[in-house]
Amino acid sequence: MTHRIAVIPGDGIGPEVAKVGVRLLERIGLPLQFDWFDFGADRYLKDGTILPQDFLDTLRRDYDAVYFGAVGDPRVPGNEHAKGILLAMRFELDLYVNLRPCILIDDRLSPLKGKGRNELRFTVFRENTEGLYTGAGGVFKKGTADEVAQEIEINTRKGVSRICEAAFAFAERRGMARVCMADKANVLLFGHGLWRRVFAETAQRHPAIQAKAMYVDALAMDLIRQPEAYDVIVTNNLFGDILTDLGAALTGGLGVAASGNIHPGRISLFEPVHGSAPDIAGQGKANPLAMALTGALMLEHLGYTREAGLVQSAVEEQVREGARTPDLVPLLGGPASSTETVAAELLDRLTART
Ligand code: NAD
Ligand code: IPM
Ligand code: MN
């Protein structure tokens, strides 16, 4: 059976890394069909298209996964196309698990003294369909001295339950001992009170896993102090966004951070954690390794576990022995190479494994 994958390269460095990622995945020789879609700032500015009306139905009907670059462009300061493309897919496809592994692939990528591969290996389960991201809220008396601006945080029992359950189930499948939930229940009594209660109920159904609830500020500190104390972290949409940029910085930076937006058993979307990086776009400086590792997450979701492992090990060898883009030079030393040079070496390493 051929798996159909919709590729949306997007803006800035999105297309630069998507090209590399697809070349890599095609090299493995699996029955994957890649169809390219040009949604992003250029298309939006040209003809007003954000996502065509029927695109989400097409995805649901004909596709197994979306392989996504990044969106965001200084020419669209309101970021409305990004909301209409990326957030629309997360919400409308009900991709409630934002899986973001923060796993060190090489000791030299760690910025923390004495913390290496054995210590930095936590995975974040970020709730991806509610919280502060739903667009609920509004502005009243805009531009006046009496202006009122409100963003409403939505927390539903169903939404919180399913992400907590997914986190515990993942820990169980991977033989991990601990799940930590991050909230701010000392201040946000209603919404995060719900998180506390639902997390405790979920923990009761998984007695073999150690469950701990923490305030997110304390967790941010502790992730720097003793990252080895965490296996799986489950949290809401906004805290997950912030903690995973922190997690990326602990494990080599945005240039190597991968993510999945998943509805188990359904079409899911895979994207690097980084954005469109307008500051380096078009300069051949983008690190393609995050997109490559994102490809490995997608292969795993499609059931190609062995092949995902091949991509993963090619990336690890690249970091260990190969050329690096400028973002990794402060951590690895040596001269900086281009996206293309890194991509060519990576492709050779994968070829040698297939
Ligand atoms: P960013 O991730 O684009 O860039 C942050 C910094 O990291 C920049 O200095 C950039 O050069 C560097 N960087 C990021 N990815 C890199 C890579 N692969 N290789 C080397 N360096 C890399 O975040 P930002 O600057 O806050 O946002 C830029 C735009 O991207 C904004 O419009 C934002 O909304 C958007 N954004 C989109 C996504 C997404 O599509 N999933 C995610 C984050 C930000
Ligand atoms: C991410 C990004 C997005 C988010 C933005 C671009 C909407 O920061 O994927 O981490 O906040 O979720
Ligand atoms: Mn983010």
Side-chain angles (χ1 to χ4, degrees):
M1 191 187 94
T2 298
H3 283 113
R4 290 185 68 182
I5 295 163
V7 184
I8 306 179
D11 305 330
I13 64 167
E16 301 170 33
V17 296
K19 196 176 69 183
V20 177
V22 171
R23 238 158 76 204
L24 208 63
L25 295 175
E26 283 179 338
R27 179 64 59 95
I28 305 174
L30 290 168
L32 303 176
Q33 178 187 323
F34 295 92
D35 298 332
W36 295 71
F37 296 90
D38 67 353
F39 309 124
D42 279 343
R43 175 78 186 273
Y44 174 54
L45 292 169
K46 197 172 75 193
D47 67 10
T49 302
I50 293 182
L51 269 193
Q53 282 282 311
D54 56 354
F55 183 66
L56 292 168
D57 285 333
T58 306
L59 283 182
R60 284 188 202 98
R61 194 182 55 234
D62 298 335
Y63 287 90
D64 300 292
V66 179
Y67 193 40
F68 190 87
V71 277
D73 188 298
R75 294 170 299 165
V76 189
N79 214 26
E80 62 272 16
H81 74 301
K83 291 193 192 96
I85 297 172
L86 180 59
L87 294 184
M89 287 191 285
R90 287 182 186 167
F91 282 80
E92 300 295 323
L93 299 174
D94 202 26
L95 307 175
Y96 65 90
V97 175
N98 192 187
L99 174 78
R100 295 188 159 182
C102 303
I103 297 171
L104 194 71
I105 59 173
D106 188 299
D107 283 349
R108 292 173 304 157
L109 295 182
S110 167
L112 299 181
K113 212 186 322 170
K115 310 291 183 190
R117 293 188 73 161
N118 292 330
E119 287 78 27
L120 281 156
R121 35 158 190 64
F122 63 90
T123 297
V124 176
F125 276 66
R126 169 189 178 190
E127 202 294 319
N128 213 27
T129 54
E130 46 186 59
L132 272 165
Y133 274 69
T134 66
V139 183
F140 183 49
K141 297 188 182 176
K142 189 171 184 178
T144 73
D146 295 325
E147 180 161 350
V148 179
Q150 201 181 26
E151 227 98 41
I152 299 167
E153 189 178 284
I154 308 277
N155 297 282
T156 68
R157 179 170 278 277
K158 172 183 163 187
V160 178
S161 294
R162 63 185 183 174
I163 190 68
C164 287
E165 184 57 42
F168 277 93
F170 176 86
E172 257 161 24
R173 276 200 310 280
R174 300 286 171 107
M176 292 167 167
R178 300 160 298 186
V179 176
C180 173
M181 191 264 290
D183 63 38
K184 192 69 186 166
N186 48 346
V187 179
L188 308 178
L189 301 180
F190 310 123
H192 295 200
L194 173 66
W195 274 82
R196 287 260 155 159
R197 285 181 280 123
V198 169
F199 180 70
E201 289 165 18
T202 315
Q204 276 182 356
R205 292 196 297 273
H206 301 272
I209 307 276
Q210 275 177 53
K212 177 165 79 162
M214 279 183 82
Y215 301 133
V216 68
D217 47 352
L219 176 63
M221 179 192 65
D222 212 39
L223 282 175
I224 307 286
R225 220 172 49 90
Q226 48 159 2
E228 67 276 13
Y230 302 91
D231 298 324
V232 177
I233 293 170
V234 62
T235 191
N236 66 49
N237 212 334
L238 183 65
F239 294 170
D241 180 43
I242 299 166
L243 289 176
T244 53
D245 268 26
L246 172 64
L250 293 178
T251 51
L254 287 172
V256 294
S259 86
N261 299 259
I262 298 169
H263 187 121
R266 286 204 209 156
I267 177 172
S268 297
L269 181 154
F270 298 83
E271 55 167 345
V273 175
H274 66 71
S276 56
D279 56 333
I280 58 164
Q283 300 171 33
K285 291 181 180 167
N287 190 340
L289 298 183
M291 194 68 186
L293 291 168
T294 296
L297 285 181
M298 181 168 75
L299 290 179
E300 212 172 295
H301 180 77
L302 295 173
Y304 298 117
T305 308
R306 192 185 73 85
E307 291 79 2
L310 300 180
V311 174
Q312 177 81 30
S313 97
V315 170
E316 288 178 15
E317 187 181 80
Q318 182 65 30
V319 171
R320 211 163 46 239
E321 300 171 11
R324 75 275 337 234
T325 45
D327 56 306
L328 293 184
V329 168
L331 296 164
L332 297 177
S337 298
S338 68
T339 308
E340 262 315 302
T341 302
V342 172
E345 290 187 9
L346 188 59
L347 222 56
D348 287 344
R349 293 182 204 283
L350 188 63
T351 308
R353 287 168 165 75
T354 49

